[in-house]
Amino acid sequence: APQAKVMAVKGISDYDTGYDDNLAECIVYAADNGADVQNFSWCGDTDFPVVTAACQYAHGLGCVLVGAAGNYNKDAKWYCPANLDEVITVASSTHTDGKSDFSNYGTKIDVAAPGGDNYRGDPFPYRNRNILSLRASGTDLYGDVRSIIGYDYYRAQGTSMAAPHVSGLAALVASIKPNLTTLGIRQAIRSGSDDLGIDGFDEYFGYGRINAYHTLCNVSGTLALYSIKPNSGSVNKTVTITDLKGSNFKTGATVWLESPASVPLQKLPAANVVVVPPNKITCTIDLTGAKYSKYDVVVHNTDGREARLQSGFTVTPCGPGAGVALLALAGILGLMSTASSRRFRSRLKALLKCY
């Protein structure tokens, strides 16, 4: 976050060991000295009453607390401070938006963030350690020299690397909306995330992998369009849009598809528009007479503002897979008498209209 200051508070030794009372003292010290966001890239496999009390104290002072879920591929509910209500708990995702195989999971996960790839299945150089981190002078976390980049950087993996992404985003949100509560910041990060895994909340990614742009658009009041599901439909059919995702939609907003500048202007208005403020719209769009082309998706708010998702929707000649089936049919019929080729082309053209 621009102009943010970093407060380095040491609670773990150079040998990766620490005591719960020392960590609790760090949390209280940071809170008492003006920290707005605290990052916990550590956890233990038991409850620490003194750490719990410190987190409750810091949270009561308005600190946003962000914690690593843990790297044991187990339920985060068994690990403190990741299991505390006051903590935004962060799982690790890979560069392909999958679950990192080491990452803890469970109902306590709020969001996921990049934390490194899997031990197996991901090609070099993405395997394992692929989160570029700052390196303290003279240190080598893994002790094999391979992860050292120059003098100041280090390639690492873990939910300890995922959590700082969320802490940084929390600082950005707080810089835009200084009066937003800790709960408000948590909700802004959740609602701005890209949904992964099953629809909605799940135990591997929580509310999704964080997306700074979406989150900041939500918080700043910017009208924006992110995605549309489904993103294609067949000509002369009516498509039901189940999730038009964006930020700061208002009740009464209108939606349409608009042809790009390369083809004659065509607007296809949406019907049955239902706005779920501030970030979701459902609707239906009649594609009768549409061109086979990519269309911009446009949302017009009641306050006069518009957002556009360029080339966000594709109108296809036929339903999914039908084009392949027709090409196969063409190949088969092509083996028939060439005397009927003109009649065949006429029939194929009629099929492609997809009435």
Side-chain angles (χ1 to χ4, degrees):
Q3 300 181 357
K5 297 179 180 178
V6 176
M7 182 189 301
V9 184
K10 187 175 178 65
I12 296 177
S13 74
D14 292 345
Y15 304 99
D16 201 27
T17 60
Y19 296 95
D20 54 353
D21 55 344
N22 289 339
L23 291 165
E25 289 178 7
C26 290
I27 295 169
V28 171
Y29 173 88
D32 285 343
N33 285 273
D36 297 301
V37 180
Q38 294 195 37
N39 181 82
F40 306 145
S41 285
W42 52 270
C43 65
D45 58 352
T46 185
D47 287 329
F48 301 118
V50 66
V51 170
T52 299
C55 287
Q56 291 171 343
Y57 173 78
H59 190 263
L61 292 182
C63 281
V64 177
L65 308 179
V66 180
N71 304 325
Y72 306 97
N73 195 29
K74 296 180 180 179
D75 197 317
K77 70 180 181 181
W78 303 114
Y79 296 84
C80 182
N83 59 0
L84 300 180
D85 291 339
E86 294 80 12
V87 174
I88 299 174
T89 305
V90 185
S92 173
S93 59
T94 69
H95 83 283
T96 56
D97 276 342
K99 174 190 176 295
S100 300
D101 54 8
F102 54 80
S103 180
N104 282 359
Y105 53 85
T107 57
K108 186 56 184 70
I109 301 301
D110 284 277
V111 290
D117 282 2
N118 300 324
Y119 288 98
R120 298 180 179 86
D122 288 304
F124 184 84
Y126 299 110
R127 189 181 301 123
N128 302 340
R129 313 170 192 173
N130 59 339
I131 303 300
L132 191 64
S133 307
L134 287 173
R135 171 179 176 249
S137 177
T139 62
D140 183 2
L141 177 64
Y142 300 110
D144 59 11
V145 186
R146 292 192 301 117
S147 292
I148 298 174
I149 308 297
Y151 295 99
D152 300 324
Y153 297 96
Y154 199 82
R155 289 168 61 94
Q157 70 169 155
T159 55
S160 288
M161 286 72 220
H165 287 86
V166 179
S167 296
L169 180 53
L172 283 169
V173 172
S175 70
I176 293 174
K177 283 287 184 70
N179 296 325
L180 203 59
T181 65
T182 55
L183 180 60
I185 292 174
R186 178 184 226 152
Q187 186 54 38
I189 292 172
R190 285 176 171 180
S191 63
S193 295
D194 289 341
D195 189 22
L196 301 179
I198 63 174
D199 289 343
F201 177 87
D202 67 74
E203 294 188 349
Y204 293 144
F205 306 102
Y207 290 90
R209 191 253 305 124
I210 62 167
N211 187 311
Y213 174 71
H214 294 179
T215 298
L216 297 181
C217 282
N218 289 343
V219 172
S220 65
T222 302
L223 177 64
L225 274 176
Y226 309 146
S227 61
I228 183 171
K229 292 182 181 179
N231 62 2
S232 65
S234 301
V235 66
N236 298 327
K237 303 291 184 180
T238 296
V239 61
T240 298
I241 304 301
T242 58
D243 189 5
L244 181 57
K245 187 175 182 181
S247 62
N248 297 294
F249 299 147
K250 295 184 179 297
T251 301
T254 54
V255 181
W256 66 84
L257 300 181
E258 186 172 308
S259 57
S262 58
V263 300
L265 180 63
Q266 184 181 40
K267 289 186 178 181
L268 304 175
N272 306 309
V273 177
V274 177
V275 180
V276 184
N279 56 12
K280 181 177 180 178
I281 293 176
T282 63
C283 60
T284 59
I285 304 176
D286 184 359
L287 301 179
T288 300
K291 309 294 184 183
Y292 307 155
S293 179
K294 291 184 179 296
Y295 283 72
D296 293 349
V297 185
V298 182
V299 172
H300 183 91
N301 254 357
T302 52
D303 59 9
R305 293 186 298 167
E306 282 187 3
R308 183 179 296 264
L309 183 63
Q310 290 188 333
S311 301
F313 190 89
T314 302
V315 176
T316 61
C318 306
V324 176
L326 285 171
L327 287 174
L329 176 63
I332 294 170
L333 293 181
L335 298 175
M336 298 172 63
S337 171
T338 56
S340 61
S341 61
R342 182 176 299 175
R343 182 171 54 188
F344 163 70
R345 286 196 298 270
S346 177
R347 289 180 178 178
L348 183 60
K349 185 175 180 181
L351 282 170
L352 287 172
K353 290 183 178 179
C354 297
Y355 285 106

